[in-house]
Amino acid sequence: MKKSLLLSAFIILMILVFPLTAAAVKGGRGPGFAGMCGGHGLGLSLIDSVSGKILYAGNAAANSDGHAKGRLASMKTAGIDSLSPAQTEAVMREAPNQSRPAGRESCAAEVNSYPAEQGAATALLSTVYDVTEKNSPEADHRSLLIAGGIAGAGVLAFLLFLLAALNRKTKSLAKANSELKNFNELRKTFIDADGSIVFLKDENLKYVFVNQALQEFLQRPSDEIVGKDDFALLDPAYAQIFTDSDLNALAENKVVTDTGTWNDRFYRTTKFPVRMPNGKYGVGGYMTDITEDHNHQVSRERMLKRNKLLLDVLGSSFKSKQEQLDYALHGLLKLSGSKYGYIYFYDEKKAEFTLNSWTKGVLAECRVEDEPMVYKLENTGIWGEVVRLRKPIIVNDFASPNPHKRGYPAGHVQLERFMSVPVFIDDRIVAVVGLGNKQTDYCETDVYEMNMLMSGVWNAVQRRETLETLAYERNEYLQILLSIGDAVMVINRHKNVEMLNTVACRLTGWSVADAVGRHYRDIFVLSHEQEGFTIDDPVEKAFETGEIQELGNHAILLSKNGGKYHLEDSAAPFMDDKGSFAGVVLVFRDVTDKKEQRRKIEYMSFHDSLTGLYNRRFFEEELRRIDTERNLPISIIMGDVNSLKLTNDIFGHAFGDMLLERIAEVMRNVCRSDDIIARWGGDEFVLLLPRTGSGEAKKIAERIRTEVSEQQIRAIRGSISIGYDTKANVDDDILHTLGIAEAKMYSAKTLEREEVQSRELEAIISALFETNEQESLHAARVSQLCQELGRALGLPESDVQRLAEAGRLHDIGKIVLEPGLLKKGYRLSSAEWNEIKQHPVVGYRILNYFSDTLELAEAVLAHHENWDGSGYQKGLKEAEIPLLARIISVVEAYDRMIHAPDGAAGKSAEEAIQELRRCAGTQFDPKVVGVFVEMMNAKNNE
């Protein structure tokens, strides 16, 4: 009961004095806590829980500790406690939760500690009392008092603890509010500082919260956004997209991520359902501008595509350079997103573009007719600027005026954007690549990609061309060696055969399989063309000297199969890649034919190619050689063929050549083997007869003349005029002898001219009429009728005689025709008719050759001309046609009509006359026809 009263009194006391105590503890001033506890037997002390420093010590505490009160207040518990510092620190940490007894050597004490607020920190309120006499009988009453004091202290401590806790809670709440405010400000700062767009929408998809990034994105302040949905803020199309993704997040009840574009920027949107305070779900989200990441990704993807394309171009197998460039161009077109493209080769020296590749789209849409493949630089417009400026050009608005544009050809594809890049190799522009009509603007990335790709492609193309060229050249060189007209043999450093071509196989008689690997001397066996002589081996000399060696002119190759070939050859050493001696290449050729040809040339240089006789050059050399005393007398005979020109004119030079060959043969037969016979000129021959007197020369000349006259070529009989002379004295000039012989020949030719011509003409006429009796009878009838008609026309008798002779010879030109052709009548082909139509021309040449028939030639040439100009040879008409020709034309036509060829039935005289009348004025002279008809009627009446 006493204890209860005491405890109640103490509690009331503590309640009354607590404010003062708290003020004392907090401020360290006043009599409150210190005054009340200072003289109390309870050992109270206030200790800093962190440092262990004693903030306050009562008298009992000082007495129980054995230290002065003033000194104790400045000490730390570690200094007075019997425990170690570590033990003391552990006890202090556990003090707020438990009590423990503590002992000293001089006394036993009980210590209890309780937490107490000391400003912003927590201190320990400790009570210490001595328990040494606790169990003694004398201390019972005192123990009761002490117990009451302890209880009062406990209540006081409990109240202090409650007050401290309340104070701590108030401060904690204030601190929490402050921290919450700071957190919200920090959160807003962080959210606004982030470039991402952050927002929250309620269940109606109206904005509840937006950050600064969204305000800038929509270009609206927060108060104009919050409370509105996307349809009130965005374009309907974008609003629908945003709303659909919001609904998708709500429907899926999960995080939804999407990517889209806005004002040419790329954004990644992440949306998720959020439970609102009202229990419904709204949508939270954030949008991140991923344009740079997207561009980097696109750039990486383009780089991968570019590298793949370059790898494909460099590593794939293409049939040709053209196919490789086409593949690269279309790959570049796809990579850049362009619609059109081209590659032009460029020649800086010529300043000239040559089209290599157009993309398929251009070929499909271009309608330019006769599109040129080559352009001069000065004729190009804006696409030539890349060469003039020597750098890439980009035109992203091709429709805008440009001073370098030259307009569009009709049908050309329309360009909107354009880019062109030069391809440089060794500082030379070798090509120009252009792209057009990309969906977006061209930029430096396109230029970079095109530059890098085309440089790689061009190097690949050049490597391909180089390899192809090397392969082609190797193969070409090998094929040349194998197919060359000369024989080729490759001999290695060991003097064994490595290769030989087809010609070498043929000449040596060895096959490739048998020859390769054998010593070259087994294959290439040489000897001298003259027995007993040796020939130097050019291969051995090349091995010894390391220099090119040539074979002598007299070498003969002995073939394995027994053949012999005259050779020309050369042996050349060759080096390997390191410059070391690798072997010898032997090139040799068969010159057997060449030697034979050389002999022929030598022969031709001294002989006439037609007759085989010596020529004039050789004759003159022989004339000087033979002109010696031991060869006297020396006779010279010269002859001139009379009928050569006539033969050439009538039958052609082939028959003239035949005549000369016949005469040359006559001379060989007449002369001795050591006589010199030469063709002096076109139709002249000369004979040099050593040790031949004048009489013998005369006999030889007569034999020649006789035997030549027996030669006949078609209708031409041979004839030659001969002159000769003899050098009997050594002092006589041989050239004088030659001159006299030539003069005698020309004199004989002049004296014999008329006789010769007469014989020749009669020979031609006889040859014509003897081979074709019908032509002979026709000529006689025409001659007779022409004579009568001439008299009927009142021509002078001299003209009548000329007319009669012309009528007889009007078809003399038919001597050149085959006899069978004349017998075919009118069953002739067009070619045969054309051949027959030439007989007036031949007749004209024949009659012109002879002096007695010169005046008949024109009439014979024109006797197939028509009155209206439709005839041949010259197309003469009316009076242009000679009168004799007009008369012959009428008479010949009449005779041909009534005397059909090959015994066929001809027309009657009356029918023939009617035909003449019908053709009068067209084919025939009307006047001549009229006189001829009257004459024939008169004859018929008689």
Side-chain angles (χ1 to χ4, degrees):
M1 184 66 180
K2 290 181 179 179
K3 290 181 179 180
S4 299
L5 291 174
L6 180 62
L7 180 60
S8 300
F10 185 78
I11 290 173
I12 294 169
L13 177 63
M14 292 304 297
I15 292 173
L16 293 174
V17 301
F18 180 77
L20 295 177
T21 303
V25 173
K26 182 176 182 181
R29 298 185 305 273
F33 182 78
M36 291 176 60
C37 299
H40 197 276
L42 183 65
L44 293 176
S45 61
L46 191 63
I47 304 169
D48 189 321
S49 63
V50 176
S51 63
K53 182 180 179 181
I54 300 174
L55 302 175
Y56 169 80
N59 294 327
N63 294 331
S64 65
D65 193 71
H67 293 85
K69 177 180 178 182
R71 185 172 178 273
L72 187 63
S74 62
M75 294 178 65
K76 294 184 178 181
T77 58
I80 60 174
D81 201 333
S82 62
L83 300 177
S84 67
Q87 292 172 328
T88 303
E89 184 180 355
V91 171
M92 292 175 66
R93 283 197 306 268
E94 296 174 358
N97 302 315
Q98 63 181 9
S99 65
R100 70 169 181 86
R104 295 179 58 91
E105 293 182 359
S106 58
C107 65
E110 182 175 286
V111 180
N112 291 279
S113 299
Y114 305 93
E117 289 293 324
Q118 175 64 13
T122 301
L124 296 177
L125 180 64
S126 298
T127 62
V128 181
Y129 60 92
D130 188 356
V131 294
T132 303
E133 300 177 355
K134 182 178 179 180
N135 297 320
S136 62
E138 297 83 6
D140 287 340
H141 181 71
R142 190 173 50 185
S143 297
L144 179 62
L145 293 176
I146 292 171
I150 291 171
V155 172
L156 177 63
F158 177 73
L159 292 176
L160 289 174
F161 177 75
L162 290 178
L163 290 174
L166 180 62
N167 185 40
R168 200 163 52 246
K169 187 69 175 178
T170 302
K171 291 181 177 180
S172 178
L173 182 61
K175 182 179 180 181
N177 288 333
S178 176
E179 289 177 351
L180 179 61
K181 180 179 179 182
N182 291 337
F183 174 77
N184 287 332
E185 291 179 354
L186 286 174
R187 176 188 59 78
K188 185 176 186 305
T189 301
F190 274 104
I191 292 176
D192 287 343
D194 188 2
S196 299
I197 295 172
V198 181
F199 60 86
L200 176 65
K201 297 181 182 179
D202 61 16
E203 66 274 15
N204 297 318
L205 302 183
K206 294 183 178 181
Y207 286 97
V208 176
F209 166 79
V210 296
N211 70 340
Q212 184 66 30
L214 182 58
Q215 298 175 46
E216 294 175 356
F217 179 78
L218 297 177
Q219 296 182 351
R220 295 170 182 264
S222 175
D223 56 0
E224 293 184 10
I225 300 174
V226 173
K228 296 179 181 178
D229 60 13
D230 289 322
F231 286 96
L233 300 171
L234 302 175
D235 179 85
Y238 282 104
Q240 188 63 52
I241 295 173
F242 278 42
T243 301
D244 289 343
S245 63
D246 292 341
L247 295 175
N248 187 30
L250 292 175
E252 297 289 336
N253 193 28
K254 65 179 182 179
V255 177
V256 176
T257 301
D258 195 10
T259 301
T261 60
W262 175 275
N263 292 337
D264 297 328
R265 304 288 293 179
F266 289 86
Y267 293 89
R268 180 183 293 112
T269 303
T270 302
K271 296 183 178 181
F272 45 87
V274 177
R275 185 179 180 88
M276 304 301 288
N278 60 5
K280 297 182 180 181
Y281 283 91
V283 176
Y286 55 89
M287 293 171 54
T288 303
D289 187 338
I290 60 169
T291 303
E292 297 303 322
D293 292 340
H294 174 80
N295 291 341
H296 287 318
Q297 180 64 26
V298 170
S299 179
R300 286 193 295 271
E301 291 176 356
R302 287 187 64 164
M303 182 179 67
L304 291 174
K305 291 179 181 178
R306 181 180 67 238
N307 293 341
K308 182 179 183 303
L309 176 60
L310 186 58
L311 182 62
D312 289 344
V313 173
L314 299 181
S316 299
S317 177
F318 297 94
K319 295 180 180 178
S320 64
K321 166 186 173 182
Q322 182 67 48
E323 183 179 353
Q324 190 171 16
L325 287 173
D326 285 346
Y327 183 88
L329 178 61
H330 284 86
L332 189 59
L333 198 75
K334 185 177 180 180
L335 180 66
S336 66
S338 300
K339 188 175 182 181
Y340 307 123
Y342 63 76
I343 298 176
Y344 273 90
F345 293 155
Y346 184 69
D347 188 327
E348 285 197 340
K349 291 183 178 179
K350 296 181 180 179
E352 191 172 82
F353 295 91
T354 302
L355 178 62
N356 173 260
S357 299
W358 275 110
T359 52
K360 297 175 182 177
V362 173
L363 296 177
E365 297 185 23
C366 184
R367 296 293 182 267
V368 178
E369 296 182 359
D370 301 326
E371 177 73 13
M373 299 294 291
V374 178
Y375 289 90
K376 287 290 186 181
L377 177 61
E378 63 266 18
N379 296 331
T380 61
I382 194 168
W383 65 279
E385 283 297 284
V386 68
V387 171
R388 287 186 280 265
L389 297 175
R390 299 183 68 81
K391 65 179 183 180
I393 62 170
I394 293 176
V395 180
N396 282 319
D397 187 4
F398 204 83
S400 297
N402 192 301
H404 301 291
K405 287 168 62 175
R406 305 287 176 87
Y408 278 107
H412 201 283
V413 296
Q414 295 294 315
L415 294 178
E416 298 170 359
R417 296 177 179 88
F418 173 74
M419 180 183 76
S420 185
V421 173
V423 179
F424 284 91
I425 298 296
D426 297 331
D427 202 36
R428 292 184 303 106
I429 298 178
V430 296
V432 172
V433 185
L435 298 177
N437 286 16
K438 180 182 176 182
Q439 291 295 323
T440 58
D441 286 350
Y442 288 106
C443 62
E444 293 302 320
T445 300
D446 297 306
V447 173
Y448 169 76
E449 287 182 341
M450 188 185 294
N451 262 328
M452 192 182 75
L453 181 64
M454 288 312 300
S455 295
V457 169
W458 197 266
N459 288 329
V461 169
Q462 284 195 322
R463 283 198 304 273
R464 175 193 180 94
E465 286 185 332
T466 301
L467 292 175
E468 288 178 349
T469 300
L470 289 175
Y472 173 79
E473 288 177 350
R474 290 193 189 102
N475 183 64
E476 184 180 35
Y477 293 149
L478 178 61
Q479 292 303 317
I480 289 173
L481 290 177
L482 293 175
S483 62
I484 193 172
D486 292 343
V488 179
M489 183 184 298
V490 178
I491 303 165
N492 63 24
R493 61 170 58 91
H494 305 296
K495 300 184 180 180
N496 295 328
V497 175
E498 279 196 351
M499 187 276 287
L500 66 167
N501 67 355
T502 305
V503 181
C505 291
R506 178 176 61 81
L507 293 180
T508 61
W510 288 81
S511 67
V512 175
D514 293 337
V516 171
R518 298 180 67 97
H519 196 280
Y520 79 92
R521 284 182 180 171
D522 296 339
I523 314 301
F524 190 64
V525 182
L526 293 178
S527 67
H528 199 283
E529 64 181 357
Q530 296 182 13
E531 190 175 351
F533 289 85
T534 60
I535 197 78
D536 291 332
D537 186 345
V539 177
E540 191 64 36
K541 280 193 171 183
F543 271 100
E544 292 174 358
T545 64
E547 298 176 353
I548 298 175
Q549 301 294 324
E550 292 188 359
L551 191 63
N553 294 328
H554 306 289
I556 291 179
L557 173 66
L558 301 178
S559 176
K560 182 181 179 183
N561 55 25
K564 293 184 178 181
Y565 303 97
H566 289 274
L567 290 187
E568 286 181 353
D569 79 350
S570 64
F574 66 92
M575 307 299 171
D576 59 18
D577 296 339
K578 298 180 180 179
S580 301
F581 185 88
V584 170
V585 176
L586 178 67
V587 179
F588 55 99
R589 67 182 63 88
D590 176 15
V591 294
T592 305
D593 293 340
K594 183 178 179 180
K595 279 185 170 286
E596 182 64 26
Q597 186 66 24
R598 185 180 295 119
R599 283 193 288 267
K600 288 182 179 180
I601 292 172
E602 291 175 354
Y603 177 87
M604 294 299 296
S605 65
F606 296 110
H607 290 77
D608 175 53
S609 60
L610 175 63
T611 63
L613 301 177
Y614 292 115
N615 59 21
R616 184 167 181 168
R617 173 189 171 191
F618 182 81
F619 181 85
E620 290 174 346
E621 291 182 1
E622 288 297 290
L623 187 64
R624 289 189 291 270
R625 186 182 66 81
I626 291 176
D627 186 19
T628 61
E629 186 174 358
R630 67 186 179 85
N631 288 324
L632 293 177
I634 302 172
S635 295
I636 298 176
I637 299 175
M638 293 197 73
D640 185 289
V641 180
N642 294 313
S643 50
L644 179 61
K645 184 177 186 305
L646 181 62
T647 304
N648 288 335
D649 288 347
I650 298 175
F651 299 104
H653 287 80
F655 289 95
D657 292 345
M658 191 183 299
L659 177 61
L660 292 175
E661 290 172 348
R662 295 272 188 91
I663 293 173
E665 189 62 30
V666 168
M667 292 184 176
R668 288 192 190 94
N669 293 335
V670 171
C671 295
R672 299 165 300 188
S673 59
D674 57 348
D675 292 337
I676 305 300
I677 310 170
R679 187 178 176 191
W680 187 254
D683 54 1
E684 295 175 345
F685 294 87
V686 60
L687 287 70
L688 181 60
L689 311 173
R691 296 181 296 277
T692 302
S694 178
E696 191 176 358
K698 180 179 180 181
K699 290 178 182 179
I700 294 172
E702 288 299 328
R703 282 187 60 189
I704 293 172
R705 186 183 290 112
T706 300
E707 292 191 20
V708 168
S709 66
E710 294 174 358
Q711 305 300 318
Q712 184 168 347
I713 304 298
R714 297 289 291 269
I716 305 300
R717 187 172 293 278
S719 174
I720 187 170
S721 298
I722 294 178
Y724 62 90
D725 192 39
T726 303
K727 174 182 178 179
N729 299 315
V730 68
D731 295 331
D732 292 341
D733 186 353
I734 192 67
L735 294 179
H736 180 69
T737 303
L738 178 63
I740 292 174
E742 186 176 20
K744 289 180 178 180
M745 176 193 68
Y746 285 125
S747 177
K749 188 176 185 69
T750 301
L751 295 174
E752 296 168 358
R753 179 180 179 81
E754 291 185 5
E755 180 183 355
V756 170
Q757 287 188 351
S758 178
R759 287 199 307 267
E760 291 173 340
L761 180 58
E762 287 304 320
I764 294 172
I765 295 172
S766 297
L768 175 63
F769 292 159
E770 286 173 2
T771 56
N772 196 317
E773 183 181 4
Q774 183 178 344
E775 287 297 325
S776 176
L777 295 174
H778 171 70
R781 291 192 296 269
V782 171
S783 177
Q784 179 61 36
L785 287 175
C786 283
Q787 186 177 14
E788 295 175 4
L789 181 56
R791 291 192 177 104
L793 288 168
L795 300 179
E797 189 59 28
S798 60
D799 290 343
V800 171
Q801 295 304 317
R802 286 194 303 112
L803 178 59
E805 186 65 8
R808 186 172 76 93
L809 301 178
H810 73 280
D811 281 339
I812 194 172
K814 291 181 179 180
I815 189 65
V816 299
L817 304 176
E818 292 294 333
L821 188 62
L822 296 174
K823 295 179 181 180
K824 292 181 70 173
Y826 293 96
R827 300 185 303 276
L828 298 173
S829 66
S830 59
E832 290 171 335
W833 269 115
N834 289 333
E835 189 175 349
I836 288 177
K837 286 181 179 180
Q838 295 302 312
H839 78 273
V841 178
V842 178
Y844 175 80
R845 288 202 296 263
I846 294 173
L847 298 178
N848 255 322
Y849 182 78
F850 302 104
S851 56
D852 291 343
T853 57
L854 281 173
E855 57 185 5
L856 306 179
E858 288 293 340
V860 171
L861 177 63
H863 78 276
H864 279 292
E865 300 285 358
N866 292 336
W867 182 256
D868 61 0
S870 61
Y872 59 92
Q873 298 293 321
K874 297 181 180 180
L876 303 177
K877 63 180 180 178
E878 298 180 1
E880 294 175 349
I881 307 170
L883 177 59
L884 299 186
R886 284 179 267 157
I887 294 172
I888 295 171
S889 176
V890 173
V891 173
E892 181 192 38
Y894 176 80
D895 188 71
R896 293 289 186 194
M897 283 188 285
I898 63 176
H899 297 93
D902 295 335
K907 297 180 183 294
S908 64
E910 184 177 352
E911 290 173 338
I913 288 173
Q914 289 298 326
E915 183 67 18
L916 291 176
R917 284 175 174 170
R918 188 182 68 80
C919 295
T922 55
Q923 184 176 352
F924 307 117
D925 182 348
K927 179 180 179 181
V928 174
V929 171
V931 173
F932 180 76
V933 170
E934 290 178 1
M935 181 187 76
M936 295 307 296
N937 287 337
K939 288 181 67 173
N940 291 335
N941 290 336
E942 293 177 357

